[in-house]
Amino acid sequence: MTGRRRDLAAMIVPLERALIAAELPILRAHGLSMWAYAVLTAVDEGPIRTQVALAQAIGADKTRIIGVLDELQQAGLIERRPDPADRRARLVSITEKGRKLRRTTQAAIQANEDRVLARLPAAERAAFLRALAVLSALPPEEITG
């Protein structure tokens, strides 16, 4: 190794893959796909969004999430209604049933993450989570330069 440390992507990507692999059975047990969980999380954590803004927020093509939104609406987990400011746009909001399912699913996912994070001493764990929050909030242009 020529540098002082491995590249960030080389360290993060294997961790990301393992965390996603650990999430998939939890999501299946709760009847959710990864995209459905991403939608419920984005809608639960933010204000009511248009379908276009929601797709941008979760990094999905707007046409790709239509099917996911249809399934979530049919299951009573979200509601969609016309935007009063723009009748061509649809506003997406989470229902109480969707909020409960999302939070139950997140608790199960985070219980596993807590098991992984327990490998770090408490102070390092807190510092890691703070640093990850800061870095993951950076706009892409600050990372790509």
Side-chain angles (χ1 to χ4, degrees):
M1 188 159 71
T2 58
R4 294 183 3 208
R5 61 169 175 77
R6 292 174 57 208
D7 298 341
L8 291 177
M11 291 186 283
I12 291 172
V13 169
L15 176 60
E16 176 191 31
R17 286 183 182 143
L19 290 171
I20 289 171
E23 280 184 20
L24 289 174
I26 295 168
L27 293 170
R28 276 194 297 273
H30 289 88
L32 294 172
S33 67
M34 188 69 74
W35 283 114
Y37 180 67
V39 166
L40 289 177
T41 299
V43 176
D44 195 20
E45 291 179 344
I48 296 174
R49 299 173 184 257
T50 64
Q51 291 179 182
V52 172
L54 176 61
Q56 289 172 340
I58 66 171
D61 182 87
K62 64 182 177 182
T63 59
R64 179 184 180 120
I65 68 163
I66 298 300
V68 173
L69 294 173
D70 289 344
E71 290 173 11
L72 292 172
Q73 186 173 15
Q74 289 169 0
L77 302 174
I78 63 164
E79 294 176 343
R80 290 185 285 182
R81 63 182 188 279
D83 183 344
D86 180 358
R87 290 286 184 193
R88 296 168 296 167
R90 309 277 292 169
L91 297 177
V92 181
S93 60
I94 194 165
T95 64
E96 192 52 43
K97 179 180 176 183
R99 182 171 286 113
K100 182 178 178 185
L101 178 62
R102 182 266 176 161
R103 291 183 180 170
T104 300
T105 304
Q106 184 180 40
I109 288 169
Q110 289 186 357
N112 184 64
E113 291 172 350
D114 289 343
R115 183 185 58 76
V116 173
L117 289 167
R119 299 279 186 111
L120 300 173
E124 287 182 29
R125 182 171 46 242
F128 173 74
L129 291 171
R130 281 192 309 272
L132 195 55
V134 169
L135 294 176
S136 65
L138 289 174
E141 58 273 9
E142 285 192 35
I143 296 170
T144 60

